[in-house]
Amino acid sequence: MSSDYSDDDMPLARTNGHLSASTVSNAEDKAMDKRSSIKARPAPVSIRNGPVNDDASPQTNGTGKRKSRSSINHVNYKDGSDSEDGRLAKRQRKVKVDDSDDEVLSKRKGRLPPAADETSMIEDSDDDQPLNAKLASKKKAIEKNAEKEAKAIRASEKPKKPTPKKAIKDESDDDMPLAGAKGKKRPSNGVNGKGKVNGVKKDDSDSDAPLRKKAKTAVSKTKVKDEKPAPVKKASAKKAKKEVSEEPGEGEDDEEEYRWWDAPKKEDNSIKWNILEHNGVLFPPPYETLPKNVKLIYDGTPVDLHVDAEEVAGFFGSMLNSTHNVENPTFQKNFFNDFKEVLDRTGGATDRHGKKVNIKEFTKLDFKPIFEYYYSKNEAKKARPAAEKKAEKAEKDKLEAPYMYCKWDGRKEKVGNFRVEPPGLFRGRGEHPKTGKVKKRVMPEQITINIGKEAKAPSPPDGHKWKAIQHDNKATWLAMWQENINGSYKYVMLGANSAIKGQSDYNKFEKARELKKHITRIRKDYTQDLKAEGMADRQRATAVYLIDKFALRAGNEKDTENEAETVGCCSLKYEHVTLREPNTVIFDFLGKDSIRFYDEVTVDRQVFKNLRVFKKPPKREGDDIFDRLTTTQLNKHLSSYMQGLTAKVFRTYNASYTMSNLLRDLKVSDAAMAEKIKLYNDCNREVAILCNHKRTVGASHEAQMEKLGDRIKGLKYQKWRNKQMLLDVDPKQKKRKGVDYFQLDPELDEAWILEHQNFLIEEQRTKIQKKFEKDNQKRQEEGEKPMPDKELKGRLQAADELAKKFKKENKTKKVEAEGRGPTVEKIEGNVQKIEERIRNLELQAADRDGNKEVALGTSKINYIDPRLTVVFAKKFDVPIEKFFSKTLREKFNWAIKSIEDDHLWEF
């Protein structure tokens, strides 16, 4: 579908770098087909996808989990052709082309993500069909189902349409785009133009900031009737769980649960509340000065500092063990510049005689005394008695209690992040240019409070006042302030399990469900526009293809001086994309959270040709590939199909729709609980693979698998010992069950058995020691005399007896029956229980290993409609606790309760 926008709406070429031509001729398209006689590979398929471990790069995000590459804009290329598994292979012949963008990325330091054929799928069939072809055919089958469903939905709604004029006004699923139905000329570049909220555009598609949202257009009556969750027959009389920490003065211990999903729709959805009461925010404690004997050292001289400068020095000194931060040159430079500013403002540093010490060089600073002080303080804190820790926690809970809840239209709602962030050093994600800068202490004078007109405003700390108090019932935040590093706004919002947050999640997934009606037309139009003559239309169609098929994020342009330069589809640059004939595309860029992301995919031939055109000389490194497209323009185009549709809705739709298809085909069986859970995880894993939700293999994965393997081997040894006990009780069992039944598992050799026996002995000693210490501590707390060491020695004899027993077993090769009155039936029962535990652990090991490079949590929490998980749990009679933690059960309470009586719910 070529664009119908007016001239002033036509996307303009960006001014940075070289630009694409305004049109593409058919002759140019055909000429590219003649260049390659290689058969195209199955598409669209992600061959190798995921984050990259870049060993040479320092970690600069402060979490110790993410790694980013040291440079994003300097990519070296060399001739060569990669085999399917990513290893370099010799080229048999050189394909002569005019463009230089078909060269393969050079080998970089760091391990690439796994290839598709290295990732476990649900079905491990023995046929000869390559896995990439299976993935392609499975994707096409799912898209075919989507096409059928879209037609069926439109057909069921067609008779209900009013006259054409009204359809244009009221129906969001009409064939005419909403943009045209309004009869108004849209502002250029897709900007609403009606205003901003808190200085940020309302329709920023990639913004996660909790800003006030604009009023949403009411969904058509037909949709509400069709998609509203089944009403609960009996009015809910269930009481909400009593919270551990109660707000003082709140009398409603047992409030009736607010089932907002069953409540009638509001006429004006922009009004978020009528009554709002809360107690404001909790400030961090004031700074505690260092002891007089703990000093910052400069060039060998201990120096005295003003309390403000001492606090900043303590920020750096306390984190010397975080080497990926403190050894980062950018971190050091930014810290030292801010530290110097504080020194200049507070009078500088002096030695013990009061003489000025001019601090000029960062390398001459020694923070070790400060680090050692804070380290020893933390260790002492950890070593405190349990009673002291418990008392401190009780005091902390008492202090936080007034801030934990608010009154929202008469309901008690949990507040999410009521604590003001303490001062410290900014870390940022990836190679953030401001990492190491000082985050200043937030004062009450910076904070705006949002509260009901009739409510009493919270009192600021003594001697201070709030920046402002407002009563905006269209905003969902309770307090806000502006931080000093990037000038961004911080908001105090309701908790994840609140009605407001639940409604936001619900609307997100309902929007993805609505996309089912329009997906066929969108795909048909962008497929047609892949061959459009206009460059802007062709770039937009290619971008939508990549977002739909490979779950690429749309991407926003960054202020690279203040933010890490991360990339999405619309902001891809020349060096981020490598083309390999006939239809393989390699994306290599710094993605979300500044993780280097590598994605090797096969695409439709026309998409491959388009990308070659977008990289055509004189374009070079640093130039935009989609130079005639922005995220705002892309989302404006998508909203013409469906109210509120943006690029990120495709990720939710594709994940949820794929999961729905997979779950629909599953047959209910009498499998064990562990097998049912693995079946769900297999479906989740396939969604992650098909929707490109990958992750780097954790550094601890191998150790975890080894530990799990040892547990399995330990159970096999335990099973063998029980079988030997069976012979001790009844030697005739050897003849009845056969010799093989009593054989030792081949995995358990003599060396491993000796090592395992020593482990069991030491484990028992440790348990006895800890139990003794715990008992003594309890006696001391109760004012009783502690037990003597003689008691401990007596208890440890049990471990000595176990050592003697193992020694005897190793010598005689016989195991004496244990327990009171051992019988054949009891021992056989023990063997069966152990075998069941082994089966469960083996399923767990297979599941964990299969998930090592797949981000199941990403799919399950963010993109798969939680109601699908609830349906699976009901269908297979699995407790929902097996899939959702307590936090997630609270977050998705609406999903669990809204379909509790609807076993046939479908996405």
Side-chain angles (χ1 to χ4, degrees):
M1 183 188 85
S2 295
S3 176
D4 292 325
Y5 299 154
S6 58
D7 289 341
D8 64 337
D9 278 336
M10 182 66 80
L12 299 174
R14 299 179 208 175
T15 55
N16 54 308
H18 297 90
L19 306 177
S20 302
S22 58
T23 58
V24 185
S25 65
N26 289 332
E28 189 173 0
D29 255 345
K30 292 176 182 177
M32 283 188 286
D33 281 330
K34 294 177 182 178
R35 292 175 182 166
S36 177
S37 58
I38 307 171
K39 185 180 178 182
R41 299 164 73 182
V45 171
S46 179
I47 301 169
R48 188 183 293 276
N49 164 285
V52 177
N53 270 336
D54 218 345
D55 298 332
S57 304
Q59 295 174 315
T60 57
N61 62 322
T63 63
K65 293 181 181 178
R66 300 186 180 95
K67 292 186 179 183
S68 62
R69 58 178 171 169
S70 56
S71 174
I72 190 67
N73 290 322
H74 302 286
V75 181
N76 295 321
Y77 297 88
K78 74 175 183 179
D79 292 335
S81 175
D82 283 1
S83 58
E84 183 169 327
D85 64 358
R87 292 182 290 272
L88 288 171
K90 291 181 180 178
R91 293 195 304 171
Q92 294 179 351
R93 61 175 179 149
K94 189 171 182 178
V95 181
K96 292 184 179 180
V97 291
D98 297 327
D99 300 338
S100 61
D101 59 352
D102 63 338
E103 296 172 339
V104 180
L105 283 169
S106 64
K107 285 184 177 179
R108 293 170 179 269
K109 289 183 179 179
R111 183 179 56 187
L112 292 180
D117 53 10
E118 297 169 12
T119 306
S120 303
M121 295 284 287
I122 284 182
E123 302 149 358
D124 289 326
S125 58
D126 295 327
D127 59 26
D128 294 328
Q129 188 184 21
L131 182 58
N132 290 336
K134 288 182 189 177
L135 286 170
S137 61
K138 181 154 279 190
K139 271 193 171 185
K140 286 177 181 175
I142 290 171
E143 289 179 10
K144 202 73 177 173
N145 285 342
E147 187 177 343
K148 289 178 183 177
E149 281 194 32
K151 286 180 180 177
I153 294 169
R154 288 199 300 270
S156 66
E157 293 181 350
K158 205 167 187 179
K160 299 178 183 180
K161 283 184 183 179
T163 57
K165 283 187 180 179
K166 290 183 180 178
I168 292 171
K169 185 177 179 181
D170 298 329
E171 295 290 337
S172 63
D173 57 345
D174 195 322
D175 287 338
M176 179 171 289
L178 288 175
K182 308 237 177 183
K184 294 181 181 179
K185 184 177 177 182
R186 290 193 277 182
S188 63
N189 294 331
V191 180
N192 190 336
K194 287 190 176 181
K196 300 179 181 180
V197 179
N198 298 325
V200 182
K201 294 177 185 176
K202 294 181 182 181
D203 286 335
D204 189 354
S205 66
D206 286 346
S207 174
D208 291 325
L211 302 176
R212 180 175 71 204
K213 296 179 181 177
K214 68 177 184 179
K216 294 182 181 177
T217 305
V219 183
S220 65
K221 293 180 181 178
T222 306
K223 180 180 182 298
V224 172
K225 190 174 182 179
D226 289 345
E227 296 187 5
K228 185 179 177 182
V232 179
K233 294 178 183 177
K234 295 182 182 179
S236 174
K238 292 178 182 178
K239 305 295 182 184
K241 253 187 188 177
K242 186 176 180 180
E243 301 289 345
V244 177
S245 299
E246 284 270 287
E247 179 182 340
E250 294 288 348
E252 298 94 354
D253 288 349
D254 298 316
E255 288 188 359
E256 186 173 343
E257 183 178 53
Y258 175 48
R259 298 173 68 94
W260 54 262
W261 52 90
D262 288 335
K265 303 286 182 184
K266 289 183 179 179
E267 289 185 13
D268 185 0
N269 199 37
S270 66
I271 303 298
K272 303 301 180 183
W273 50 266
N274 294 308
I275 300 171
L276 177 60
E277 302 173 28
H278 62 87
N279 289 326
V281 294
L282 179 63
F283 289 93
Y287 171 66
E288 294 181 10
T289 57
L290 295 171
K292 291 184 178 180
N293 63 322
V294 179
K295 305 280 185 185
L296 173 68
I297 297 173
Y298 182 74
D299 199 16
T301 303
V303 294
D304 292 321
L305 302 171
H306 184 276
V307 64
D308 291 350
E310 181 187 278
E311 183 180 20
V312 173
F315 296 156
F316 195 96
S318 63
M319 57 186 294
L320 288 186
N321 55 345
S322 181
T323 54
H324 56 272
N325 285 303
V326 297
E327 292 178 5
N328 177 2
T330 305
F331 190 93
Q332 294 175 353
K333 178 185 173 184
N334 287 333
F335 161 75
F336 190 60
N337 287 340
D338 282 4
F339 182 51
K340 282 279 289 176
E341 284 183 17
V342 177
L343 284 173
D344 292 343
R345 176 169 53 82
T346 58
T350 58
D351 62 15
R352 63 191 182 94
H353 302 296
K355 187 179 178 182
K356 284 273 185 182
V357 176
N358 193 6
I359 296 178
K360 292 181 177 180
E361 298 177 37
F362 172 80
T363 53
K364 292 183 178 180
L365 289 170
D366 183 0
F367 295 91
K368 284 179 185 176
I370 296 176
F371 172 75
E372 287 167 0
Y373 167 73
Y374 282 117
Y375 180 79
S376 60
K377 188 178 178 181
N378 287 335
E379 290 300 307
K381 195 174 181 181
K382 290 177 189 175
R384 290 175 303 165
E388 193 176 325
K389 291 179 182 177
K390 190 176 179 181
E392 184 189 46
K393 187 179 183 304
E395 188 65 31
K396 180 172 174 280
D397 290 344
K398 185 180 177 181
L399 181 67
E400 293 179 349
Y403 306 94
M404 289 185 72
Y405 296 92
C406 73
K407 278 285 187 171
W408 187 285
D409 282 346
R411 301 186 310 274
K412 186 177 177 182
E413 295 275 14
K414 195 166 187 177
V415 180
N417 52 336
F418 55 82
R419 301 172 190 85
V420 175
E421 190 175 12
L425 298 184
F426 176 71
R427 305 189 187 191
R429 291 172 172 171
E431 297 173 2
H432 202 292
K434 291 193 174 183
T435 185
K437 289 188 71 63
V438 174
K439 290 188 296 182
K440 296 178 182 177
R441 186 177 293 271
V442 178
M443 305 303 291
E445 286 75 12
Q446 297 170 250
I447 297 177
T448 299
I449 299 292
N450 191 30
I451 197 165
K453 284 184 180 179
E454 307 301 323
K456 181 186 176 184
S459 300
D462 292 341
H464 294 276
K465 62 180 181 179
W466 302 119
K467 178 180 180 180
I469 296 174
Q470 65 179 51
H471 317 288
D472 185 358
N473 63 358
K474 293 185 178 180
T476 58
W477 51 269
L478 312 183
M480 64 168 280
W481 62 89
Q482 192 174 19
E483 53 86 26
N484 69 291
I485 301 294
N486 298 309
S488 59
Y489 287 90
K490 300 287 185 179
Y491 295 85
V492 173
M493 309 289 289
L494 295 190
N497 60 338
S498 65
I500 286 292
K501 291 288 188 180
Q503 288 167 17
S504 176
D505 283 340
Y506 173 82
N507 292 333
K508 166 186 166 182
F509 291 111
E510 284 300 298
K511 190 176 290 184
R513 289 181 79 198
E514 189 183 351
L515 180 54
K516 287 198 303 180
K517 293 188 289 187
H518 311 282
I519 191 66
T520 304
R521 186 157 57 96
I522 293 171
R523 285 171 175 165
K524 180 181 176 183
D525 287 348
Y526 76 61
T527 301
Q528 181 180 327
D529 276 357
L530 289 173
K531 297 183 179 181
E533 184 178 351
M535 181 65 77
D537 291 334
R538 193 175 282 218
Q539 286 193 1
R540 187 188 61 235
T542 305
V544 177
Y545 173 96
L546 296 174
I547 288 166
D548 182 24
K549 304 295 186 186
F550 301 109
L552 290 187
R553 287 181 170 81
N556 280 336
E557 293 174 305
K558 300 279 185 179
D559 174 8
T560 54
E561 290 186 8
N562 296 318
E563 300 178 73
E565 187 181 3
T566 57
V567 176
C569 185
C570 295
S571 52
L572 285 168
K573 295 191 181 295
Y574 182 95
E575 61 270 22
H576 298 149
V577 177
T578 302
L579 306 176
R580 187 198 305 144
E581 291 286 356
N583 65 329
T584 298
V585 180
I586 300 173
F587 298 103
D588 192 352
F589 55 83
L590 205 61
K592 187 181 178 184
D593 294 340
S594 300
I595 301 172
R596 179 186 165 195
F597 196 79
Y598 181 96
D599 199 0
E600 185 177 337
V601 302
T602 55
V603 299
D604 292 347
R605 177 65 184 167
Q606 185 61 46
V607 173
F608 182 86
K609 292 192 295 182
N610 287 351
L611 289 170
R612 183 177 291 287
V613 171
F614 304 160
K615 292 191 70 179
K616 186 179 177 181
K619 280 197 179 179
R620 61 189 182 191
E621 288 190 25
D623 292 341
D624 292 318
I625 287 182
F626 294 97
D627 53 88
R628 292 179 180 270
L629 182 69
T630 65
T631 303
T632 304
Q633 292 162 349
L634 177 65
N635 286 331
K636 177 182 176 181
H637 168 75
L638 293 173
S639 68
S640 69
Y641 291 97
M642 185 186 106
Q643 180 74 21
L645 179 61
T646 61
K648 64 182 178 182
V649 179
F650 284 88
R651 297 171 68 86
T652 308
Y653 162 78
N654 281 320
S656 293
Y657 187 77
T658 301
M659 188 69 164
S660 178
N661 273 261
L662 293 173
L663 296 183
R664 190 187 302 157
D665 296 337
L666 295 179
K667 306 295 182 188
V668 179
S669 63
D670 295 328
M673 185 65 70
E675 291 173 347
K676 292 177 182 178
I677 294 169
K678 185 176 184 299
L679 187 62
Y680 172 85
N681 286 339
D682 285 342
C683 290
N684 193 353
R685 178 160 57 248
E686 189 156 352
V687 169
I689 293 167
L690 290 169
C691 297
N692 294 352
H693 298 150
K694 295 290 191 75
R695 67 179 179 187
T696 183
V697 179
S700 62
H701 175 74
E702 291 302 325
Q704 289 173 351
M705 291 303 297
E706 188 177 341
K707 191 175 180 181
L708 203 52
D710 283 340
R711 285 178 64 192
I712 293 169
K713 288 166 78 173
L715 285 172
K716 287 180 177 179
Y717 175 68
Q718 192 178 336
K719 182 176 74 170
W720 175 81
R721 288 188 78 245
N722 272 269
K723 287 180 178 181
Q724 297 302 310
M725 291 178 200
L726 197 62
L727 291 177
D728 185 51
V729 172
D730 183 7
K732 293 179 182 178
Q733 292 293 325
K734 191 167 188 176
K735 189 174 182 181
R736 290 174 189 165
K737 295 184 179 292
V739 177
D740 291 344
Y741 179 81
F742 298 94
Q743 289 296 319
L744 187 66
D745 192 286
E747 282 187 89
L748 311 179
D749 56 34
E750 189 175 340
W752 184 89
I753 289 173
L754 288 172
E755 185 181 344
H756 183 63
Q757 287 174 344
N758 289 331
F759 166 77
L760 293 175
I761 294 163
E762 288 306 313
E763 184 181 47
Q764 189 166 8
R765 288 185 190 279
T766 304
K767 285 180 180 178
I768 292 169
Q769 183 83 31
K770 286 184 176 179
K771 180 72 168 59
F772 177 78
E773 290 172 358
K774 190 174 181 182
D775 289 346
N776 255 352
Q777 186 176 329
K778 188 176 180 182
R779 289 173 71 91
Q780 284 179 326
E781 289 169 1
E782 294 173 352
E784 296 181 20
K785 189 178 179 181
M787 293 178 287
D789 291 342
K790 186 179 178 181
E791 173 68 21
L792 176 60
K793 289 179 181 178
R795 293 186 183 188
L796 287 172
Q797 283 181 0
D800 297 333
E801 291 297 323
L802 181 62
K804 290 175 183 178
K805 182 189 288 188
F806 284 147
K807 189 174 182 180
K808 184 179 178 182
E809 288 176 6
N810 295 339
K811 186 176 181 180
T812 61
K813 306 299 181 185
K814 291 180 181 180
V815 180
E816 293 179 3
E818 298 172 347
R820 293 180 182 177
T823 62
V824 170
E825 291 75 16
K826 282 184 181 179
I827 296 172
E828 284 180 338
N830 289 340
V831 171
Q832 287 177 358
K833 288 177 183 176
I834 294 169
E835 285 177 341
E836 181 65 26
R837 289 174 65 191
I838 290 171
R839 275 195 298 273
N840 289 342
L841 278 179
E842 285 176 340
L843 281 171
Q844 187 180 332
D847 201 25
R848 183 175 292 180
D849 197 49
N851 296 336
K852 64 186 176 185
E853 68 276 332
V854 182
L856 293 191
T858 301
S859 299
K860 182 170 70 175
I861 298 171
N862 299 315
Y863 299 115
I864 294 175
D865 193 314
R867 289 169 290 189
L868 289 169
T869 303
V870 176
V871 168
F872 178 92
K874 289 180 179 295
K875 182 177 178 180
F876 286 87
D877 194 24
V878 179
I880 194 66
E881 291 81 5
K882 297 292 184 182
F883 305 120
F884 289 154
S885 64
K886 183 177 182 291
T887 303
L888 287 181
R889 290 197 302 276
E890 291 175 351
K891 175 180 173 66
F892 294 138
N893 181 53
W894 63 269
I896 297 168
K897 299 289 179 65
S898 66
I899 60 167
E900 58 188 353
D901 292 336
D902 187 359
H903 300 282
L904 302 176
W905 185 89
E906 288 191 3
F907 176 76

